Amino acid sequence: IGNTLAKLSMTMGVFVVEGGDNWKVSLTTGKKEFLDTFVKTCEKSVELAKRVNATWMTVVPGYFERTLPVEIQTANVIEAMKRGASILEPHGLVMVMEPLSDNPDLFLRTAAQSFMICKSVASPACKTLYDIYHMQIMEGDVIATIKASHQYFAHYHTGGVPGRNEIDNSQELYY
């Protein structure tokens, strides 16, 4: 993939840091087994990023842990992101957390959550993938959010609401 991208003068957008735990209860728990898997996956992602000449990688912290207060879950995610950032930052790589709207069990659902986590991690290797489609559904007022939080956004995705179609005058947002 890296060679083909180079031949075409293209760069990789993002790839997903996926150790098998993104779509279940994982980093929110603070359990060593999930943190260890995440750290190992970040280490492997450094090599993958080099092969495909990528800078950004998407991180999904997993589902809510219903037995823990959200503040403890947030602290657990911050600790995991700090560990990931310590691996990626020396290589100039950036993990981008993506708040999503399509599953109510996911922990990371708003830009404000992601902003707070990034600010707490305090590393250039921890940013947000701001997906306008998801955030229009979850929050609306995307322009105000972008203005207030842009310094913590490293990558943007766009898509119209409804339907995740091209943005045009039939969508909620048209710019």
PDB file of all heavy atoms in Angstrom, residues 119-135:
ATOM      1  N   LYS A 119      -6.893  17.365  26.094  1.00  0.00           N
ATOM      2  CA  LYS A 119      -6.283  18.387  26.943  1.00  0.00           C
ATOM      3  C   LYS A 119      -5.607  17.744  28.151  1.00  0.00           C
ATOM      4  O   LYS A 119      -4.519  18.146  28.559  1.00  0.00           O
ATOM      5  CB  LYS A 119      -7.335  19.401  27.375  1.00  0.00           C
ATOM      6  CG  LYS A 119      -6.741  20.632  27.990  1.00  0.00           C
ATOM      7  CD  LYS A 119      -7.725  21.759  28.052  1.00  0.00           C
ATOM      8  CE  LYS A 119      -7.011  22.959  28.632  1.00  0.00           C
ATOM      9  NZ  LYS A 119      -7.620  24.198  28.333  1.00  0.00           N
ATOM     10  N   SER A 120      -6.213  16.715  28.720  1.00  0.00           N
ATOM     11  CA  SER A 120      -5.643  16.017  29.870  1.00  0.00           C
ATOM     12  C   SER A 120      -4.398  15.214  29.497  1.00  0.00           C
ATOM     13  O   SER A 120      -3.454  15.141  30.282  1.00  0.00           O
ATOM     14  CB  SER A 120      -6.680  15.086  30.490  1.00  0.00           C
ATOM     15  OG  SER A 120      -7.779  15.820  30.977  1.00  0.00           O
ATOM     16  N   VAL A 121      -4.398  14.620  28.328  1.00  0.00           N
ATOM     17  CA  VAL A 121      -3.234  13.849  27.880  1.00  0.00           C
ATOM     18  C   VAL A 121      -2.064  14.793  27.596  1.00  0.00           C
ATOM     19  O   VAL A 121      -0.912  14.455  27.845  1.00  0.00           O
ATOM     20  CB  VAL A 121      -3.583  12.986  26.648  1.00  0.00           C
ATOM     21  CG1 VAL A 121      -2.347  12.345  26.035  1.00  0.00           C
ATOM     22  CG2 VAL A 121      -4.601  11.904  27.038  1.00  0.00           C
ATOM     23  N   ALA A 122      -2.368  15.973  27.080  1.00  0.00           N
ATOM     24  CA  ALA A 122      -1.365  17.023  26.865  1.00  0.00           C
ATOM     25  C   ALA A 122      -0.192  16.567  26.002  1.00  0.00           C
ATOM     26  O   ALA A 122       0.966  16.761  26.356  1.00  0.00           O
ATOM     27  CB  ALA A 122      -0.881  17.583  28.200  1.00  0.00           C
ATOM     28  N   SER A 123      -0.514  15.948  24.887  1.00  0.00           N
ATOM     29  CA  SER A 123       0.516  15.490  23.958  1.00  0.00           C
ATOM     30  C   SER A 123       0.078  15.802  22.536  1.00  0.00           C
ATOM     31  O   SER A 123      -1.098  15.621  22.200  1.00  0.00           O
ATOM     32  CB  SER A 123       0.708  13.975  24.099  1.00  0.00           C
ATOM     33  OG  SER A 123       1.473  13.470  23.023  1.00  0.00           O
ATOM     34  N   PRO A 124       1.007  16.201  21.677  1.00  0.00           N
ATOM     35  CA  PRO A 124       0.642  16.399  20.269  1.00  0.00           C
ATOM     36  C   PRO A 124       0.275  15.089  19.577  1.00  0.00           C
ATOM     37  O   PRO A 124      -0.244  15.100  18.464  1.00  0.00           O
ATOM     38  CB  PRO A 124       1.897  17.027  19.652  1.00  0.00           C
ATOM     39  CG  PRO A 124       3.007  16.670  20.563  1.00  0.00           C
ATOM     40  CD  PRO A 124       2.406  16.528  21.935  1.00  0.00           C
ATOM     41  N   ALA A 125       0.494  13.976  20.239  1.00  0.00           N
ATOM     42  CA  ALA A 125       0.148  12.666  19.681  1.00  0.00           C
ATOM     43  C   ALA A 125      -1.268  12.239  20.022  1.00  0.00           C
ATOM     44  O   ALA A 125      -1.693  11.144  19.655  1.00  0.00           O
ATOM     45  CB  ALA A 125       1.132  11.606  20.169  1.00  0.00           C
ATOM     46  N   CYS A 126      -2.032  13.087  20.702  1.00  0.00           N
ATOM     47  CA  CYS A 126      -3.422  12.765  21.059  1.00  0.00           C
ATOM     48  C   CYS A 126      -4.326  13.896  20.606  1.00  0.00           C
ATOM     49  O   CYS A 126      -4.304  14.985  21.180  1.00  0.00           O
ATOM     50  CB  CYS A 126      -3.543  12.540  22.558  1.00  0.00           C
ATOM     51  SG  CYS A 126      -5.202  12.052  23.088  1.00  0.00           S
ATOM     52  N   LYS A 127      -5.106  13.623  19.581  1.00  0.00           N
ATOM     53  CA  LYS A 127      -6.012  14.619  18.999  1.00  0.00           C
ATOM     54  C   LYS A 127      -7.361  13.967  18.714  1.00  0.00           C
ATOM     55  O   LYS A 127      -7.606  12.825  19.071  1.00  0.00           O
ATOM     56  CB  LYS A 127      -5.423  15.186  17.700  1.00  0.00           C
ATOM     57  CG  LYS A 127      -4.092  15.882  17.853  1.00  0.00           C
ATOM     58  CD  LYS A 127      -4.228  17.229  18.466  1.00  0.00           C
ATOM     59  CE  LYS A 127      -2.887  17.950  18.514  1.00  0.00           C
ATOM     60  NZ  LYS A 127      -2.992  19.261  19.082  1.00  0.00           N
ATOM     61  N   THR A 128      -8.209  14.715  18.033  1.00  0.00           N
ATOM     62  CA  THR A 128      -9.551  14.244  17.688  1.00  0.00           C
ATOM     63  C   THR A 128      -9.711  14.141  16.183  1.00  0.00           C
ATOM     64  O   THR A 128      -9.221  14.990  15.450  1.00  0.00           O
ATOM     65  CB  THR A 128     -10.612  15.220  18.245  1.00  0.00           C
ATOM     66  OG1 THR A 128     -10.512  15.230  19.670  1.00  0.00           O
ATOM     67  CG2 THR A 128     -12.023  14.829  17.847  1.00  0.00           C
ATOM     68  N   LEU A 129     -10.387  13.102  15.750  1.00  0.00           N
ATOM     69  CA  LEU A 129     -10.898  13.023  14.392  1.00  0.00           C
ATOM     70  C   LEU A 129     -12.316  13.570  14.487  1.00  0.00           C
ATOM     71  O   LEU A 129     -13.187  12.938  15.085  1.00  0.00           O
ATOM     72  CB  LEU A 129     -10.907  11.574  13.895  1.00  0.00           C
ATOM     73  CG  LEU A 129     -11.252  11.323  12.429  1.00  0.00           C
ATOM     74  CD1 LEU A 129     -10.900   9.896  12.050  1.00  0.00           C
ATOM     75  CD2 LEU A 129     -12.666  11.643  12.058  1.00  0.00           C
ATOM     76  N   TYR A 130     -12.524  14.747  13.936  1.00  0.00           N
ATOM     77  CA  TYR A 130     -13.833  15.400  14.032  1.00  0.00           C
ATOM     78  C   TYR A 130     -14.636  15.030  12.792  1.00  0.00           C
ATOM     79  O   TYR A 130     -14.374  15.513  11.691  1.00  0.00           O
ATOM     80  CB  TYR A 130     -13.674  16.916  14.152  1.00  0.00           C
ATOM     81  CG  TYR A 130     -14.970  17.610  14.500  1.00  0.00           C
ATOM     82  CD1 TYR A 130     -15.467  17.570  15.794  1.00  0.00           C
ATOM     83  CD2 TYR A 130     -15.701  18.294  13.535  1.00  0.00           C
ATOM     84  CE1 TYR A 130     -16.656  18.191  16.126  1.00  0.00           C
ATOM     85  CE2 TYR A 130     -16.887  18.925  13.862  1.00  0.00           C
ATOM     86  CZ  TYR A 130     -17.362  18.873  15.144  1.00  0.00           C
ATOM     87  OH  TYR A 130     -18.555  19.490  15.467  1.00  0.00           O
ATOM     88  N   ASP A 131     -15.585  14.148  12.988  1.00  0.00           N
ATOM     89  CA  ASP A 131     -16.446  13.687  11.894  1.00  0.00           C
ATOM     90  C   ASP A 131     -17.723  14.515  11.923  1.00  0.00           C
ATOM     91  O   ASP A 131     -18.563  14.352  12.822  1.00  0.00           O
ATOM     92  CB  ASP A 131     -16.743  12.201  12.051  1.00  0.00           C
ATOM     93  CG  ASP A 131     -17.433  11.609  10.837  1.00  0.00           C
ATOM     94  OD1 ASP A 131     -18.395  12.236  10.331  1.00  0.00           O
ATOM     95  OD2 ASP A 131     -17.032  10.518  10.413  1.00  0.00           O
ATOM     96  N   ILE A 132     -17.841  15.402  10.961  1.00  0.00           N
ATOM     97  CA  ILE A 132     -18.959  16.347  10.917  1.00  0.00           C
ATOM     98  C   ILE A 132     -20.298  15.625  10.867  1.00  0.00           C
ATOM     99  O   ILE A 132     -21.263  16.056  11.506  1.00  0.00           O
ATOM    100  CB  ILE A 132     -18.774  17.330   9.750  1.00  0.00           C
ATOM    101  CG1 ILE A 132     -17.586  18.244  10.076  1.00  0.00           C
ATOM    102  CG2 ILE A 132     -20.042  18.138   9.471  1.00  0.00           C
ATOM    103  CD1 ILE A 132     -17.126  19.123   8.935  1.00  0.00           C
ATOM    104  N   TYR A 133     -20.371  14.520  10.164  1.00  0.00           N
ATOM    105  CA  TYR A 133     -21.616  13.747  10.102  1.00  0.00           C
ATOM    106  C   TYR A 133     -22.048  13.323  11.512  1.00  0.00           C
ATOM    107  O   TYR A 133     -23.165  13.589  11.948  1.00  0.00           O
ATOM    108  CB  TYR A 133     -21.434  12.520   9.208  1.00  0.00           C
ATOM    109  CG  TYR A 133     -22.537  11.504   9.332  1.00  0.00           C
ATOM    110  CD1 TYR A 133     -23.756  11.701   8.701  1.00  0.00           C
ATOM    111  CD2 TYR A 133     -22.362  10.350  10.087  1.00  0.00           C
ATOM    112  CE1 TYR A 133     -24.780  10.765   8.822  1.00  0.00           C
ATOM    113  CE2 TYR A 133     -23.371   9.417  10.211  1.00  0.00           C
ATOM    114  CZ  TYR A 133     -24.582   9.630   9.576  1.00  0.00           C
ATOM    115  OH  TYR A 133     -25.584   8.704   9.703  1.00  0.00           O
ATOM    116  N   HIS A 134     -21.150  12.656  12.241  1.00  0.00           N
ATOM    117  CA  HIS A 134     -21.497  12.171  13.578  1.00  0.00           C
ATOM    118  C   HIS A 134     -21.790  13.320  14.540  1.00  0.00           C
ATOM    119  O   HIS A 134     -22.719  13.257  15.345  1.00  0.00           O
ATOM    120  CB  HIS A 134     -20.375  11.300  14.142  1.00  0.00           C
ATOM    121  CG  HIS A 134     -20.257   9.977  13.481  1.00  0.00           C
ATOM    122  ND1 HIS A 134     -21.222   9.001  13.575  1.00  0.00           N
ATOM    123  CD2 HIS A 134     -19.280   9.466  12.697  1.00  0.00           C
ATOM    124  CE1 HIS A 134     -20.852   7.938  12.892  1.00  0.00           C
ATOM    125  NE2 HIS A 134     -19.677   8.191  12.341  1.00  0.00           N
ATOM    126  N   MET A 135     -21.003  14.373  14.461  1.00  0.00           N
ATOM    127  CA  MET A 135     -21.173  15.466  15.421  1.00  0.00           C
ATOM    128  C   MET A 135     -22.394  16.325  15.121  1.00  0.00           C
ATOM    129  O   MET A 135     -22.993  16.885  16.037  1.00  0.00           O
ATOM    130  CB  MET A 135     -19.905  16.314  15.513  1.00  0.00           C
ATOM    131  CG  MET A 135     -18.730  15.553  16.129  1.00  0.00           C
ATOM    132  SD  MET A 135     -19.043  14.888  17.801  1.00  0.00           S
ATOM    133  CE  MET A 135     -19.639  13.228  17.476  1.00  0.00           C
TER     134      MET A 135
END
